[in-house]
Amino acid sequence: MTKQEGILLWNKCLDIIRDNIDEAQYEACFAPLVAYDYKGNDLYLHAPSYFFVEQIESKYLDLISKTIRRVYQQEINLFYKYDVVKKNDVNNNSDNSSVTIKQPKNALISPFARRTMPEIDSRLNIYNTFENYCGSMSNKLAVSIGMAIATKPECKTFNPMFLFGATGVGKTHLVQAIGNKVKELTPEKRVLYVTAREFESQYTTAVVEKKINDFINFYQSIDVLILDDIHEFAGKQGTQNTFYYIFNHLHQSKKQIIMSSDTRPADMDGFVPRLSSRFKWGVTVEISKPDYALRRDVLNMKALQDGLTIADDVLDYIATNVTDSVRELEGIVTSLLAYSTVLNQDISIDLANVVISNAVKTSKKQITFELIVETVSDYYNINSDSIYGKSRKREISDARQVVMYLAKEMTQLSSTNIGMRLSRDHATVLHSCRMVKERVSIEKKLQEDIENLTNALKK
């Protein structure tokens, strides 16, 4: 095929694209693209700017690819050419600035080309793995999705993954476990873990040193990007805008994005809408505060790692009184090790009490899902196992609905998490809660039951 024939075929591509999108979109996005050269299987287009190309790729790369294959009847390497942007509107003293990216004159980029990139330091803690991550109902869904991402990279259902939960519940360990598993199974993958604060610092340095283009190009080369504590981007518009372009490129290129935050996307303030909306594109999953079973497992594992022998009654005491975070539990075990070694004391409940009182605010009674099940079962004189089972007997079904209602009212568990504990879906939980509310308004006996159970749980 001659150069002229190759260029003319691009005009045919434009006609097809024009028929598939709105006229205004065509005029804005495709009319400025002009073919100026064709060599072998390489097609060269002139574009106004780098950001123009970014927008084309983020919105229409699939349409462009399919159209080119249809018209040229072969794989084509597509390159964009654009001139240096004359003006650089960067305000180095404000993160709210907009950034115009500069490229060398006559720069060429190909959205289809896969460049050979040097290895990078993934910045992963090698000890944060799935094997030493304690699982329970409070994090079961998050762990399952994380393992699916790590072991089935061809599946992009969970891209991006947005993980949220309170401080210290194990988010960082889990996202790094995903990264470590990816590196274990596919060592050639470019995996990078970075905190939001580190990303922002790198961005600021790149702006000051006029290397913003290098910064973006580096992040666009990552196969699995893990961004921790993304809520810290709040109010940083310049950082958000830059991450927006990186996010678009990675997502369009089917690269995995994993983000963690202390809050769910819907509750995040200080974010530009076009970025916050993308947080919801994939899967959003919560890690709840550790339940009793998880707290017990964490203590056992930490004690084993530190070479400590802790009696069951001491473990029970710690698990009952330290309820907010995995990080606090690990800190308690470390403190017990220090106390017992320096003071040459046996690890007892009394020593544990001293350590806990110095480290965390204790709770005399934590209302957990398990406690609610036990209290309701005792109140109605039924076996607690039947609450978790599939029995549809009226007395068991009613008790199960009361458990769902009380769990929703008295804990921070979501409907999904409550349902998972009972092998039901969230819709069943919502229906049960609604039914109990309706019955309480007309059934005096149930109203008294709910009141008695609530008082018993609060004592």
Side-chain angles (χ1 to χ4, degrees), residues 6-120:
I7 291 175
L8 290 176
L9 282 181
W10 170 248
N11 293 331
K12 186 175 180 180
C13 291
L14 288 178
D15 290 338
I16 295 174
I17 293 171
R18 190 170 200 158
D19 290 338
N20 282 274
I21 64 175
D22 180 84
E23 181 65 23
Q25 292 176 327
Y26 173 83
E27 290 296 329
C29 298
F30 288 96
L33 290 176
V34 178
Y36 69 92
D37 199 2
Y38 180 83
K39 299 175 183 178
N41 292 334
D42 296 340
L43 175 63
Y44 297 85
L45 305 178
H46 186 275
S49 69
Y50 179 84
F51 277 124
F52 182 92
V53 173
E54 281 284 330
Q55 291 299 308
I56 293 291
E57 286 190 25
S58 65
K59 294 181 181 179
Y60 301 111
L61 184 57
D62 187 56
L63 174 61
I64 295 172
S65 302
K66 290 179 179 178
T67 303
I68 287 176
R69 292 190 191 100
R70 174 181 168 187
V71 172
Y72 284 82
Q73 295 294 307
Q74 60 181 326
E75 292 295 328
I76 293 295
N77 299 315
L78 177 62
F79 293 89
Y80 297 108
K81 171 187 175 182
Y82 45 91
D83 297 330
V84 175
V85 178
K86 300 296 183 183
K87 184 178 179 182
N88 187 4
D89 296 324
V90 177
N91 180 355
N92 292 339
N93 298 319
S94 172
D95 192 68
N96 293 326
S97 61
S98 61
V99 177
T100 303
I101 294 178
K102 286 188 175 182
Q103 285 281 355
K105 190 172 182 63
N106 297 329
L108 297 174
I109 60 173
S110 170
F112 305 135
R114 172 64 177 181
R115 301 172 180 85
T116 300
M117 303 297 294
E119 289 189 9
I120 61 171

Side-chain angles (χ1 to χ4, degrees), residues 5-6 239 364 409 434:
E5 288 173 336
T239 304
K364 292 184 178 179
E409 292 292 318
R434 185 169 60 252

Side-chain angles (χ1 to χ4, degrees), residues 298-364:
V298 168
L299 290 169
N300 270 323
M301 178 174 288
K302 179 62 177 174
L304 183 64
Q305 291 172 345
D306 290 348
L308 284 178
T309 300
I310 303 179
D312 286 343
D313 60 338
V314 178
L315 290 175
D316 290 336
Y317 180 79
I318 299 172
T320 300
N321 288 279
V322 183
T323 60
D324 285 343
S325 80
V326 171
R327 196 172 298 154
E328 286 182 344
L329 291 166
E330 294 175 339
I332 293 298
V333 175
T334 300
S335 296
L336 284 175
L337 173 62
Y339 272 76
S340 64
T341 301
V342 175
L343 301 179
N344 194 26
Q345 290 185 8
D346 292 332
I347 297 178
S348 62
I349 289 181
D350 288 340
L351 180 58
N353 184 48
V354 171
V355 171
I356 291 172
S357 63
N358 289 337
V360 299
K361 182 179 180 180
T362 59
S363 174
K364 292 184 178 179

